[in-house]
């Protein structure tokens, strides 16, 4: 297949049908392009404040009915959706590649995330959402029941690096819990989430329950947050601060997965052949545009040259190109603007004394936004590449003499999203992992094992975020807890005519007795 030939699945009629559901009463549009070529794929409507408010109004109306459905009936829709998402994965893959420029392997793997989320919560949701009865203050005569109720309408602001995965996977537990959703995808990557929503509706999701609005963040974000009952955001730390502040003023909750400057510590007993393949993916997977990707690698002094040379050799042989088949190992960056940002980090590092061991150049011969896999040496904290998130196919290598030094260097950042530790001794690696300040730590893997473990919450610490997706928390955050308390007999308080001093002594004695008997 020609590297510039649009897949046959992506007809103009198909694409126009996807964006037809986006409200845009002003007539303003945004040119959504194929990243490989710069060709305009579709004119994406841009939503006004009135459009957004109307979307929330329609979502609330649908949510009131949806929340009344028995959980079993809601889950049946997601059983069907699981099948539809997998049966149509290759069409989704074509969309993801066209709008984001990633290579086909990453695009296919992205399509697997929503079915994995569905599978997990199909098993877990009944236990999480079934009311739980607890003891009350007086044994046998009182009880308290924990009831989880949906928050209402959840606003989701999805990023461009994994538009289908985050656009759907963050919405699925919210929907299962009985909420409606209004999602704002990035303008550059709105097609794949729009297609995913159409598949959910084909599976039986009520029309109007899952709304989409489009526009640039500053134009759309404030109105979305002001109308939402909860906000889920994935993106930069700077934007996350703005969203968190506005959510706080509105007294609504939010979950923020933000930036990272993720480290990898390689211990001196590592198997170099196993390490180099995982490290290569951890740095260059999705052309470095993964929130959890590795940007700093700490290598032991006595094996530094060996491990450095192995990584540089592997990086230099990575195939890079624009293709809708499985040939290229590395695809494009998402846009020329982002290519320029990545290039500026490399140029700044070189100007301040860093050395490019491989890569370091844009590749306009391949497409508008391609950049070579790049390995740097001699990166310092006064360089952009040494302190801020590059979010591209660039990594810095660092020497260390002791494990304590490596841990100190790894923690020397304002971020704390993901980290990786490599060793031939799992217990030794675990001891290091315990000391790393990060929401996720992968042992003998770069990033995938932590993120794909859907039963365990995944989030960041420090400036990398608030809250988590996945695990029980990933669903329960979309609910409020109602406490239904029952008193069977009026035993709280002094009896009529009882001396209050006697009542106090009786109460204190009862509390001691209940503690000894362990009934409270």
């Amino acid at each position: 297949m020609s590297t510039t030939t649009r897949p046959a699945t992506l007809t103009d009629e198909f694409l126009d049908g996807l964006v037809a559901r986006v409200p845009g009463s002003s007539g303003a549009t945004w040119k959504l392009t194929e990243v490989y070529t710069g060709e305009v794929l579709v004119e994406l409507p841009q939503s006004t404040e009135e459009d957004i408010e109307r979307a929330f109004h329609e979502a609330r109306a649908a949510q009131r009915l949806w929340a009344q459905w028995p959980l079993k009936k809601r889950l049946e829709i997601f059983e069907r959706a699981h099948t539809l998402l997998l049966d149509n994965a290759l069409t989704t893959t074509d969309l993801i590649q066209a709008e984001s420029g990633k290579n086909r392997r990453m695009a296919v793997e992205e399509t697997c995330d929503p079915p994995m989320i569905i599978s997990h919560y199909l098993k877990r949701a009944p236990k999480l959402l079934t009311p739980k009865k607890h003891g009350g203050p007086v044994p046998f005569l009182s009880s308290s029941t924990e009831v989880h109720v949906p928050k209402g309408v959840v606003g989701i602001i999805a990023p461009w690096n994994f538009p289908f995965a985050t656009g759907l996977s963050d919405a699925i537990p919210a929907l299962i819990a009985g909420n409606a959703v209004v999602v704002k995808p990035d303008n550059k990557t709105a097609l794949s989430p729009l297609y995913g929503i159409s598949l959910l509706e084909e599976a039986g999701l009520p029309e109007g329950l899952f709304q989409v609005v489009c526009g640039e963040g500053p134009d759309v974000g404030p109105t979305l947050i002001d109308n939402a009952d909860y906000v889920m955001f994935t993106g930069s730390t700077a934007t996350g601060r703005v969203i968190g502040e506005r959510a706080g003023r509105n007294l609504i909750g939010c979950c923020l997965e933000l930036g990272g400057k993720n480290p990898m510590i390689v211990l001196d007993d590592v198997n170099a052949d196993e390490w180099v393949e995982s490290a290569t993916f951890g740095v260059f997977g999705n052309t470095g545009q993964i929130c959890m990707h590795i940007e700093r690698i700490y290598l032991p002094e006595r094996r530094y040259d060996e491990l450095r040379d192995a990584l540089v050799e592997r990086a230099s042989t990575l195939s890079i190109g624009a293709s809708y088949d499985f040939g290229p190992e590395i695809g494009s960056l998402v846009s020329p603007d982002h290519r320029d940002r990545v290039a500026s980090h490399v140029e700044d590092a070189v100007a301040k004394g860093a050395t490019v061991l491989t890569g370091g150049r844009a590749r306009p011969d391949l497409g508008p936004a391609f950049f070579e896999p790049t390995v740097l040496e001699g990166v310092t904290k006064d360089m952009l590449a040494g302190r801020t998130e590059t979010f591209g196919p660039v990594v810095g290598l660092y020497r260390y003499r002791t494990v304590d030094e490596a841990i100190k260097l790894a923690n020397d950042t304002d971020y704390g999203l993901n980290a990786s530790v490599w060793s031939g001794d799992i217990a030794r690696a675990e001891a290091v992992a315990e000391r790393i300040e990060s929401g996720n730590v992968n042992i003998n893997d770069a990033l995938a094992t932590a993120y794909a473990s859907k039963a365990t919450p995944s989030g960041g610490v420090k400036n990398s975020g608030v809250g988590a997706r996945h695990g029980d928390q990933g669903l329960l955050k979309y609910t409020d807890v109602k406490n239904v308390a029952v008193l069977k007999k009026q035993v709280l308080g002094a009896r009529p005519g009882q001396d209050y001093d006697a009542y106090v002594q009786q109460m204190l004695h009862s509390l001691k007795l209940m503690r000894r008997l362990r009934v409270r």
Side-chain angles (χ1 to χ4, degrees):
M1 178 185 292
S2 168
T3 59
T4 57
T5 299
R6 188 198 304 182
T9 53
L10 307 187
T11 65
D12 291 341
E13 181 181 12
F14 173 60
L15 298 179
D16 289 341
L18 292 179
V19 301
R21 72 178 296 145
V22 179
S25 59
S26 71
T29 61
W30 195 86
K31 296 183 186 303
L32 195 158
T33 62
E34 181 188 32
V35 177
Y36 290 155
T37 64
E39 173 197 357
V40 175
L41 290 173
V42 71
E43 296 278 350
L44 181 69
Q46 300 292 276
S47 305
T48 66
E49 289 185 13
E50 292 75 17
D51 294 328
I52 299 166
E53 290 171 352
R54 190 177 307 112
F56 272 92
H57 177 76
E58 294 175 3
R60 288 194 190 284
Q63 189 270 335
R64 284 191 287 270
L65 298 175
W66 174 248
Q68 295 174 21
W69 285 28
L71 177 60
K72 183 176 183 295
K73 185 179 178 182
R74 296 202 297 263
L75 294 179
E76 287 171 354
I77 290 175
F78 289 96
E79 286 274 12
R80 295 190 291 271
H82 185 277
T83 299
L84 283 170
L85 289 167
L86 293 175
D87 287 348
N88 293 278
L90 295 184
T91 297
T92 307
T93 298
D94 292 340
L95 286 165
I96 292 171
Q97 281 198 273
E99 64 188 359
S100 72
K102 64 183 61 177
N103 74 321
R104 197 160 185 81
R105 172 193 165 178
M106 285 303 307
V108 168
E109 291 185 1
E110 181 175 349
T111 69
C112 297
D113 195 70
M116 291 173 68
I117 285 288
I118 288 174
S119 184
H120 172 71
Y121 287 117
L122 284 175
K123 294 182 295 183
R124 192 66 183 151
K127 183 172 183 179
L128 294 177
L129 296 177
T130 298
K132 298 174 182 62
K133 198 166 189 177
H134 306 287
V138 182
F140 312 113
L141 296 178
S142 63
S143 65
S144 179
T145 303
E146 174 186 343
V147 181
H148 287 273
V149 297
K151 285 186 173 290
V153 183
V154 173
I156 295 177
I157 302 174
W160 49 257
N161 62 324
F162 284 91
F164 183 75
T166 52
L168 264 67
S169 292
D170 286 334
I172 286 165
L175 293 165
I176 288 174
N179 298 282
V181 169
V182 177
V183 65
K184 188 207 85 67
D186 190 281
N187 273 338
K188 295 184 288 295
T189 54
L191 296 175
S192 59
L194 282 165
Y195 181 56
I197 294 167
S198 74
L199 293 177
L200 293 183
E201 291 181 346
E202 185 179 339
L205 195 73
E207 189 173 338
L209 191 68
F210 200 155
Q211 300 277 337
V212 183
V213 295
C214 290
E216 292 298 278
D219 300 328
V220 175
T223 306
L224 184 144
I225 297 167
D226 289 347
N227 284 273
D229 299 302
Y230 188 90
V231 176
M232 175 73 208
F233 170 74
T234 305
S236 72
T237 297
T239 303
R241 290 185 190 279
V242 174
I243 291 171
E245 180 181 358
R246 195 172 192 109
R249 289 203 306 267
N250 293 341
L251 296 180
I252 62 170
C254 63
C255 180
L256 310 171
E257 195 216 68
L258 308 177
K261 194 70 179 174
N262 306 309
M264 173 184 285
I265 295 176
V266 184
L267 301 184
D268 57 8
D269 61 352
V270 71
N271 180 309
D273 292 335
E274 291 182 357
W275 166 76
V276 74
E277 286 301 317
S278 180
T280 299
F281 176 78
V283 172
F284 303 117
N286 200 35
T287 322
Q289 300 166 123
I290 303 175
C291 298
M292 296 170 69
H293 96 118
I294 301 299
E295 297 203 0
R296 300 178 288 143
I297 299 181
Y298 297 94
L299 301 175
E301 177 73 35
R302 75 178 186 86
R303 296 187 64 187
Y304 180 86
D305 291 349
E306 170 204 355
L307 297 173
R308 176 200 60 196
D309 293 348
L311 181 64
V312 169
E313 180 181 2
R314 183 68 184 96
S316 66
T317 62
L318 288 169
S319 58
I320 176 173
S323 179
Y324 288 96
D325 59 33
F326 289 101
E329 295 173 278
I330 301 293
S332 174
L333 291 167
V334 73
S335 68
D337 286 346
H338 191 55
R339 176 208 61 204
D340 291 345
R341 180 181 186 275
V342 172
S344 72
H345 279 217
V346 176
E347 291 163 3
D348 174 77
V350 171
K352 293 174 179 175
T355 301
V356 176
L357 301 179
T358 187
R361 299 180 300 142
R363 293 293 301 274
D365 55 312
L366 299 175
F370 281 85
F371 197 88
E372 292 177 335
T374 301
V375 181
L376 300 176
E377 194 174 51
V379 176
T380 59
K381 289 291 291 288
D382 66 328
M383 303 172 184
L384 291 172
R387 67 179 184 273
T388 62
E389 184 177 38
T390 302
F391 214 60
V394 179
V395 67
L397 303 184
Y398 305 82
R399 300 172 187 264
Y400 73 84
R401 293 181 178 82
T402 68
V403 173
D404 286 345
E405 179 190 6
I407 294 169
K408 181 179 179 180
L409 291 169
N411 288 337
D412 185 20
T413 175
D414 294 331
Y415 297 106
L417 182 59
N418 182 49
S420 173
V421 181
W422 276 81
S423 174
D425 183 336
I426 298 296
R428 187 180 178 210
E430 288 176 337
V432 173
E434 289 178 1
R435 298 172 61 190
I436 294 179
E437 298 164 356
S438 180
N440 301 274
V441 183
N442 292 264
I443 292 176
N444 292 348
D445 185 45
L447 55 90
T449 302
Y451 190 83
S453 299
K454 303 304 185 186
T456 305
S458 174
V461 299
K462 298 196 283 191
N463 285 350
S464 287
V466 175
R469 52 166 61 96
H470 305 162
D472 293 355
Q473 186 176 340
L475 184 147
L476 293 178
K477 70 186 180 187
Y478 295 125
T479 68
D480 288 321
V481 180
K482 181 187 296 184
N483 182 348
V484 180
V486 176
L487 183 63
K488 299 177 183 178
K489 186 176 181 181
Q490 300 305 306
V491 293
L492 296 178
R495 296 190 302 274
Q498 184 181 14
D499 178 78
Y500 204 82
D501 286 333
Y503 167 73
V504 168
Q505 292 303 314
Q506 176 185 321
M507 178 179 62
L508 296 176
H509 175 74
S510 297
L511 290 173
K512 291 179 180 179
L513 180 61
M514 285 189 288
R515 177 83 299 265
R516 286 200 298 271
L517 297 176
R518 299 185 184 277
V519 295
R520 287 296 298 156

